[in-house]
Amino acid sequence: QMQLEESGGGLVQPGGSLRLSCAENRTFFTFYLMAWYRQAPGNRQDPGKKRELIALITTDGRIDYADSVKDRFTITRDGAKNTVHLQMNSLKPEDTGVYYCNAAFQWPPPGDSWGQGTQVTVSS
């Protein structure tokens, strides 16, 4: 498994935008798919929320989004590099959570390589 490096999280007001980036620069091989997962904060009723697949992109052009972010988030990749971005627009409080980058050399997701996570907080 490879270590992915994320950047770009932070605090933003509802309706605002953030751009997350993720890169892996050590391997000579190209990941087949790269993806973003989100883990929402837990609560008393559900203290251990699972990581939710938000968006993925493959080298042969497949792009998928969770229904909750469709038309607001855009995933892109830098050519054949192991670099992926997530442009998040029209952010809502329910988008709050830790965002994790994930990568795999083959289908299906998730792969074995994860980033450390970056916090996104949407609040006024």
Side-chain angles (χ1 to χ4, degrees), residues 1 19 35 38 43 61 71 79 124:
Q1 64 189 42
R19 178 178 166 89
R38 176 172 69 200
N43 53 43
D71 298 326
S124 55

Side-chain angles (χ1 to χ4, degrees), residues 33-45:
L33 73 86
M34 299 191 76
W36 289 96
Y37 284 73
R38 176 172 69 200
Q39 187 167 20
N43 53 43
R44 286 187 179 179
Q45 287 74 32

